[in-house]
Amino acid sequence: MKLYIDGEWLPGAAEQPVLDRWSGEQVGTVAVGTAEHAVLAVDAAERAMRRGLPVPERARILGAAARLVARRAGEFARLVTAETGKPITAARGEVDRAVQTLTWAAEETRRTAGEAVPLGAIESGAGTLAMTVPEARGIAAAITPFNFPVNLVLHKIAPALAAGCAVVLKPSEKAVLAAGLLVEVFAEAGLPAGWLNLVTGPPAEVVDAWLADPRVAVVTFTGSTRIGWELKARSPRKLHVLELGSNTAMVVTAAADVERAAADAVTAALAGSGQACVSLQRLYVAREVAGRLTAALGAAFTSVRHGDPHDPETVVGPLITPQATTALKAAIDAAVAKGARLLAGGEVVNGVLTPTLLTDVDPDGPLVCEEAFGPLLSVLPVDDLDAAIDAVNRSSMALNTAVYTRDLGEAMRFAERAQAGTVLVNMPPSYRADHMPYAGVKDSGQGTEGVRYAIEELQHHKLVVLKP
């Protein structure tokens, strides 16, 4: 795959092979871009924005792209699995969501509007007509992770184009081929040159060039907490939309449907091999039902299929790199050495970390306080709901959280007091619909995603005042 700048596929300074994460076979190559390529991409985006792209044309292109992704869904899913090791069933689900993201963006493009401002309500505004007019903030630099290499890329591209922002895209070096296929789709859908530019290569060259370029108005980033805040610190005058990490928590009270909570917890912890910022990591459970819940979880974790991600029955595949597997295995071993009890998994079989369930974990240890990003769940008994809420809120990260209870009062108390961008009741904390507002608080980020909300972030409202 080459670089894509100003409507043309260009060679990079070098090429690197792309290997299947499971088999090790080469599945493609990717060009290595440089800072010079990054600047060329901004040049192209600047020219595109000067030419403009009318709202009806933006909507038409996004709708056409949705249909093309749906038509090529199998190809996208196979690329995602090959590059990242994401189980094929999860990859197919991601592509289905990507079609929804594009469809929502096409619809929301036509709904962006300003509003009348009643300046005539005061004496100094008598005889005036005032309104706000939405305008694109400018060129958007989109920097995306490996774990959702189709849908999270589209959560950057689609709202930006809908808002009228040209895009310079840097996907994760661990997941580039799917991004290239998306660029092909937009070209086929009729997106004019310069509106979407793809530059792969070392972040120290590509991203640094965009941070230093005053023509780049927006940085929209999904990835680690550390890197996200570093990007903001290094370019404070730009607008930043940051969707960062978390150590997602769920609470099960004594009034919960325990079996339902257990089934949802398994999915929330293990889907996509646990490599999502909303993957369940901390489960706080009332002591009186902890035994039932732990038994149900242990049986489920032991029976979950793990191994070859190309197998449709596989739930847990390899982590993104062998180094990630080694690091998480070492953290599990360290926790067990300090007294944690291993109820399931904790082994590496054919390069795959088996679904891991722990209890008696140090509540101040790394498996609870840091983001694990793997198929791991810690069960932590608590005395009551207030203790659970306090434990949830002790984290410096707060994206999604959930409570399972059949007591309306408990549900309302949790919703009011839990610190999170999203609170779910009797739904897994890993839940996300692509048109809902999606945002973290504390160290989990700033700004809001979800198609309409992201469009609003990427536009400012110019005030126009008319007086005859």
Side-chain angles (χ1 to χ4, degrees):
M1 186 191 79
K2 296 182 178 180
L3 312 176
Y4 189 78
I5 299 173
D6 206 16
E8 296 185 7
W9 292 98
L10 304 175
E15 282 192 347
Q16 291 181 342
V18 178
L19 306 181
D20 184 291
R21 178 65 186 89
W22 177 254
S23 70
E25 297 177 0
Q26 183 167 331
V27 294
T29 60
V30 59
V32 179
T34 64
E36 289 74 19
H37 292 114
V39 172
L40 289 174
V42 177
D43 293 342
E46 184 180 38
R47 289 191 294 270
M49 290 197 67
R50 280 202 297 264
R51 292 191 297 268
L53 190 61
V55 166
E57 188 66 2
R58 297 178 210 166
R60 184 200 65 77
I61 290 166
L62 288 163
R67 292 186 291 274
L68 289 167
V69 171
R71 190 181 306 163
R72 303 178 71 173
E75 185 179 0
F76 272 105
R78 288 189 294 273
L79 272 180
V80 169
T81 296
E83 255 191 306
T84 69
K86 188 174 203 171
I88 187 66
T89 301
R92 290 169 181 159
E94 178 187 347
V95 178
D96 289 344
R97 286 181 56 191
V99 174
Q100 295 177 26
T101 299
L102 283 164
T103 302
W104 278 106
E107 295 173 358
E108 292 292 350
T109 300
R110 300 182 190 274
R111 297 184 184 133
T112 56
E115 62 181 12
V117 179
L119 285 188
I122 60 173
E123 291 182 3
S124 63
T128 63
L129 178 65
M131 68 199 79
T132 61
V133 179
E135 288 190 347
R137 290 188 179 273
I139 297 168
I143 306 163
T144 60
F146 73 84
N147 56 329
F148 286 86
V150 179
N151 198 39
L152 287 187
V153 171
L154 286 175
H155 269 286
K156 311 300 186 188
I157 295 173
L161 295 177
C165 299
V167 179
V168 291
L169 169 65
K170 164 67 174 69
S172 167
E173 59 272 21
K174 302 179 184 73
V176 292
L177 297 183
L181 191 55
L182 281 174
V183 169
E184 287 184 23
V185 160
F186 276 102
E188 187 177 348
L191 184 65
W195 281 94
L196 176 58
N197 306 276
L198 171 67
V199 183
T200 53
E205 290 205 38
V206 176
V207 175
D208 284 11
W210 294 340
L211 295 180
D213 196 320
R215 296 173 297 172
V216 174
V218 178
V219 175
T220 175
F221 170 82
T222 297
S224 78
T225 297
R226 178 184 63 81
I227 292 175
W229 294 118
E230 282 181 4
L231 295 176
K232 180 176 173 63
R234 293 175 54 206
S235 53
R237 298 185 68 176
K238 301 183 190 300
L239 173 74
H240 292 77
V241 181
L242 305 176
E243 196 272 279
L244 308 178
S246 191
N247 54 349
T248 301
M250 171 174 143
V251 172
V252 179
T253 79
D257 180 334
V258 173
E259 287 68 31
R260 175 182 173 185
D264 285 356
V266 173
T267 300
L270 301 183
S273 306
Q275 294 181 115
C277 50
V278 288
S279 292
L280 175 59
Q281 185 174 331
R282 300 179 287 152
L283 199 162
Y284 298 100
V285 55
R287 293 189 190 279
E288 51 262 57
V289 296
R292 286 171 55 203
L293 181 69
T294 303
L297 289 171
F301 268 58
T302 302
S303 64
V304 163
R305 176 78 68 89
H306 56 83
D308 182 356
H310 301 279
D311 181 346
E313 299 299 317
T314 295
V315 174
V316 173
L319 299 185
I320 189 62
T321 63
Q323 292 79 10
T325 304
T326 300
L328 188 51
K329 174 67 164 67
I332 293 166
D333 290 345
V336 171
K338 291 182 178 180
R341 283 195 298 131
L342 190 63
L343 303 179
E347 299 177 329
V348 176
V349 179
N350 295 325
V352 175
L353 179 65
T354 55
T356 301
L357 182 67
L358 293 161
T359 192
D360 295 337
V361 183
D362 179 1
D364 297 316
L367 292 186
V368 174
C369 297
E370 300 172 11
E371 186 173 42
F373 228 65
L376 176 143
L377 178 60
S378 294
V379 179
L380 301 116
V382 291
D383 292 329
D384 53 32
L385 180 60
D386 289 335
I389 293 171
D390 289 344
V392 169
N393 291 346
R394 274 198 295 272
S395 174
S396 64
M397 298 176 280
L399 188 51
N400 284 13
T401 191
V403 64
Y404 280 70
T405 179
R406 288 175 288 200
D407 182 318
L408 180 59
E410 287 187 337
M412 293 179 67
R413 189 154 86 252
F414 186 84
E416 181 180 1
R417 288 185 51 201
Q419 297 170 358
T422 299
V423 174
L424 298 114
V425 178
N426 296 324
M427 292 180 67
S430 56
Y431 179 78
R432 179 182 183 182
D434 295 292
H435 62 297
M436 79 184 201
Y438 183 73
V441 295
K442 301 188 190 179
D443 278 347
S444 286
Q446 64 178 22
T448 305
E449 290 197 333
V451 177
R452 175 169 72 87
Y453 306 91
I455 293 170
E456 292 173 357
E457 294 277 6
L458 292 161
Q459 290 180 326
H460 67 88
H461 284 254
K462 178 192 289 182
L463 178 66
V464 178
V465 183
L466 304 175
K467 188 169 185 176

